[in-house]
Amino acid sequence: MKTARQLVTLLALLLLGLPLAAHAAKYQEIDTKGVKAMMDAGGVLVVNPLTPIEFADEHIAGSVNIPIERLKQGLPADKSKPIIFYCLGEKCVYSWRAAEDASDLGYTNLYAYRGGLPAWKVAGYPTAATEKLQEVKVPMISTEQLAAKLKSDDMVLVDINASEDADKFWVDNPKRMHIPLLVLDQQYKSIPKGKEIVIMCLKGQRGSTAARFLAAKGYKDVKVVEGGIQQWVLEGRPVKKK
């Protein structure tokens, strides 16, 4: 008999961890050399399914930005066109999630490049940026520190997770604001200045982008939760979930 904590952990892993084993019917895995070869041959669409903020900061040269929430409106009419999805490396789930979503929309020639931008850069291939964020060191805090801050500190917890993820597990606290990273560039002004801002993302990876963006907008005290909501859930800390 599984304990409640084991069930929460299992749910978290299903939500935040690996793609379904049956992915082969929906898309193919591809490595850096394969992506470069297809781009050199032409006729392939390389898609970064992250947010405009992340794409503008840095992306594979020649790729386009179609956020995962907008695939239905942004993908080409030709559903047989080869499409490669990539994001921020092995821990970033949006490459294969976007490929699965595109498959569900009827696209048939799909690839997930899980090495993503980090592997592309290691190989020495070109990247581009349209609005580079300032390189600043973003302070990290542990989930234990966050739990203490939620009890006493005058702070704001900004949950930047996509609604699909945030609606499954979230920290139920009046100090939490949910502003998906997709719309942070439009809604950041609703975050009060003069308070400590703590960013909560999925795994602690995308939070630094949000923190750097807010720093550029004049927010002085911005931190990121290490490990994100995944770490919070795996430790058995209290959440609300649908």
Side-chain angles (χ1 to χ4, degrees):
M1 188 77 176
K2 288 184 173 66
T3 66
R5 180 166 179 172
Q6 286 174 320
L7 288 171
V8 169
T9 299
L10 178 60
L11 285 170
L13 291 173
L14 288 171
L15 167 64
L16 307 168
L18 297 173
L20 296 175
H23 74 76
K26 293 190 171 186
Y27 64 87
Q28 301 177 59
E29 302 271 355
I30 190 170
D31 62 13
T32 305
K33 289 183 179 180
V35 175
K36 185 64 165 58
M38 290 185 71
M39 292 184 76
D40 288 345
V44 64
L45 182 66
V46 181
V47 177
N48 179 317
L50 299 180
T51 66
I53 291 174
E54 292 164 299
F55 182 78
D57 183 44
E58 189 173 23
H59 55 269
I60 292 174
S63 66
V64 301
N65 182 215
I66 308 175
I68 192 169
E69 297 91 339
R70 299 170 181 166
L71 291 181
K72 187 174 181 179
Q73 299 80 18
L75 289 176
D78 180 4
K79 294 193 174 183
S80 65
K81 185 177 182 66
I83 304 173
I84 300 172
F85 294 99
Y86 76 95
C87 56
L88 300 176
E90 294 288 344
K91 291 184 178 181
C92 181
V93 302
Y94 289 96
S95 57
W96 58 264
R97 274 194 183 180
E100 290 193 340
D101 287 356
S103 176
D104 292 341
L105 291 171
Y107 291 85
T108 58
N109 198 355
L110 302 170
Y111 299 83
Y113 174 32
R114 292 227 231 159
L117 187 60
W120 187 262
K121 291 168 67 175
V122 167
Y125 295 136
T127 64
T130 54
E131 192 174 341
K132 190 73 178 171
L133 295 175
Q134 184 180 355
E135 291 293 342
V136 295
K137 186 174 182 180
V138 178
M140 306 291 288
I141 66 169
S142 66
T143 51
E144 183 178 2
Q145 290 172 308
L146 173 61
K149 287 178 180 295
L150 289 172
K151 291 178 181 177
S152 60
D153 290 9
D154 186 20
M155 51 82 72
V156 179
L157 176 65
V158 181
D159 183 343
I160 64 164
N161 287 310
S163 296
E164 177 187 1
D165 295 322
D167 287 348
K168 292 175 183 174
F169 291 98
W170 71 94
V171 177
D172 185 27
N173 189 283
K175 295 177 181 178
R176 171 186 178 264
M177 296 179 66
H178 179 221
I179 304 179
L181 188 55
L182 177 67
V183 295
L184 183 63
D185 58 342
Q186 303 164 39
Q187 298 183 13
Y188 73 89
K189 290 182 180 179
S190 64
I191 303 172
K193 286 189 173 179
K195 289 190 176 185
E196 179 183 18
I197 307 299
V198 178
I199 305 293
M200 171 76 87
C201 63
L202 200 64
K203 298 184 178 183
Q205 187 175 21
R206 303 174 80 194
S208 61
T209 299
R212 290 163 60 209
F213 175 82
L214 291 177
K217 300 300 181 183
Y219 290 83
K220 304 297 184 184
D221 188 5
V222 185
K223 301 177 177 67
V224 173
V225 180
E226 190 170 7
I229 189 67
Q230 174 179 349
Q231 186 64 30
W232 183 274
V233 170
L234 292 176
E235 290 174 358
R237 297 187 184 276
V239 292
K240 266 202 167 184
K241 56 183 181 292
K242 283 190 175 180

